Amino acid sequence: MSLSNIWVFSETTPEGAATAGTLELLTKANTLGGTVTAFVVGSAGEAAAAFADHGAAKIYETGDLAGALPGAAVASAMKAVIDGGDSPDLVMFPQNYEGRDVMARLSVKLDRTVLTNSTDVSVDGDSVSCTTPIFGGAKLVTATFTGETPYLAAFRPKSFEPAGGAGGAGEVVAAPVPDLGATGGATVEAVHVEETSGPKLDEAAVVVGGGRGLGDAEKFEMIEQLAKRLKGAPGASRAIVDAGWVPYSYQVGQTGKVVKPTVYIAAGISGATQHMVGMKGSKNIIAINKDKEAPIFGVADLGIVGDVHKVLPQLLEALAARG
């Protein structure tokens, strides 16, 4: 089969811009053939131009959800459009909270199975398959959809490179949320957005990650100083997040954020599989660890066998000298 109609669950930032994850999925969808549609939570607004530039020929928007949780509202809106005759062959979701929530509810409404945690999708004749890493990324499994469409799949962040240039304006079509009844009873009362002084962790060109090798929470200040000096973002291993040294939003790894910066500096991080899943796609990896047998050196482009308490201060001093 060939995919004639692909939907991408699309989101915007609090500022109204298209999210990086949405543009990644639209770019990939645009390589699979057929018409690409962005299904937007709320209103597309100024992000509509970016959606179109990354391949969306049509843009469905639910409009203001009036505080309703996105999962129930968007899944119901999608089902209504499908029942109205515009049924996709494949719906692509980001592997995040909202994406998984909407996908799970749509799966029940359509009685369709889902493939999650994917890093790629391909079409070969009559087959649509997704690739999923298992065992901490040590193995790749290819699963092929069977049965009736639409197929539902969720993809890890940073699985695809966003690329604009598709052009076009993108037809904007209303997809209002039907009456949800008791299902729509839960509402969002408040949203907390953590303040950051530099680039976002999953968008930064340089990430400096700190681990338990730092010794104690106070030493993480060196990681933050180095990240600031390099105009990057600080990150952390799960071990020090669990220890309460830094917030969960700093965590890099399988259960945290996936990053693919130009440079990733791992300081005092041994290289547990869970952590390396979240950063091994970085273009250049620099590891600093006093244990020369640390697994992190197996993926590092440059390894420094040394004490982070000596290496980092000297590095900061050298950078300061350069102005």
Side-chain angles (χ1 to χ4, degrees):
M1 64 173 289
S2 60
L3 299 181
S4 61
N5 190 5
I6 305 170
W7 286 6
V8 172
F9 173 73
S10 303
E11 300 172 287
T12 58
T13 67
E15 296 76 28
T19 64
T22 295
L23 299 184
E24 292 169 18
L25 294 182
L26 287 171
T27 298
K28 180 61 180 181
N30 205 36
T31 69
L32 300 176
T35 301
V36 176
T37 297
F39 207 108
V40 184
V41 182
S43 299
E46 295 181 1
F51 295 150
D53 192 48
H54 286 74
K58 182 186 290 185
I59 301 168
Y60 280 121
E61 55 180 20
T62 64
D64 185 11
L65 298 183
L69 292 174
V74 179
S76 295
M78 285 183 166
K79 178 64 161 53
V81 173
I82 292 171
D83 289 345
D86 185 3
S87 184
D89 300 309
L90 171 69
V91 186
M92 301 173 69
F93 296 86
Q95 186 80 16
N96 60 19
Y97 295 118
E98 281 74 20
R100 287 177 292 186
D101 192 12
V102 174
M103 181 174 65
R105 293 173 185 272
L106 185 61
S107 170
V108 173
K109 290 178 180 297
L110 299 176
D111 192 23
R112 299 289 188 273
T113 191
V114 300
L115 292 177
T116 63
N117 211 33
S118 305
T119 56
D120 200 5
V121 58
S122 61
V123 180
D124 183 11
D126 292 336
S127 297
V128 178
S129 305
C130 289
T131 300
T132 305
I134 61 172
F135 303 133
K139 298 290 184 179
L140 296 176
V141 170
T142 299
T144 302
F145 283 104
T146 59
E148 297 181 1
T149 60
Y151 301 141
L152 311 179
F155 298 87
R156 288 187 185 183
K158 304 294 183 181
S159 293
F160 314 112
E161 288 290 334
E171 177 191 7
V172 179
V173 181
V177 177
D179 181 17
L180 300 177
T183 305
T187 58
V188 179
E189 295 297 323
V191 177
H192 171 70
V193 179
E194 291 191 345
E195 295 183 3
T196 57
S197 57
K200 294 181 179 179
L201 176 58
D202 52 358
E203 298 177 3
V206 176
V207 173
V208 183
R212 193 178 288 280
L214 292 170
D216 57 63
E218 287 71 24
K219 296 299 191 299
F220 193 80
E221 184 182 354
M222 291 190 295
I223 300 297
E224 294 177 315
Q225 289 178 357
L226 182 56
K228 184 176 181 180
R229 174 65 67 174
L230 297 175
K231 295 181 174 56
S237 67
R238 177 175 177 175
I240 68 172
V241 171
D242 288 348
W245 293 9
V246 295
Y248 169 71
S249 58
Y250 282 44
Q251 185 174 318
V252 173
Q254 189 170 14
T255 54
K257 288 186 171 66
V258 175
V259 299
K260 288 188 177 181
T262 303
V263 177
Y264 185 88
I265 301 175
I269 295 175
S270 62
T273 300
Q274 191 278 144
H275 183 78
M276 288 202 283
V277 165
M279 46 67 71
K280 66 180 182 180
S282 305
K283 292 182 180 179
N284 301 280
I285 300 173
I286 301 171
I288 306 169
N289 201 293
K290 64 181 180 181
D291 179 10
K292 65 179 180 180
E293 302 298 330
I296 193 70
F297 289 125
V299 297
D301 299 287
L302 172 64
I304 301 173
V305 180
D307 189 341
V308 293
H309 302 98
K310 297 179 179 178
V311 175
L312 291 185
Q314 291 183 42
L315 178 55
L316 285 167
E317 183 178 337
L319 290 171
R322 295 178 60 180

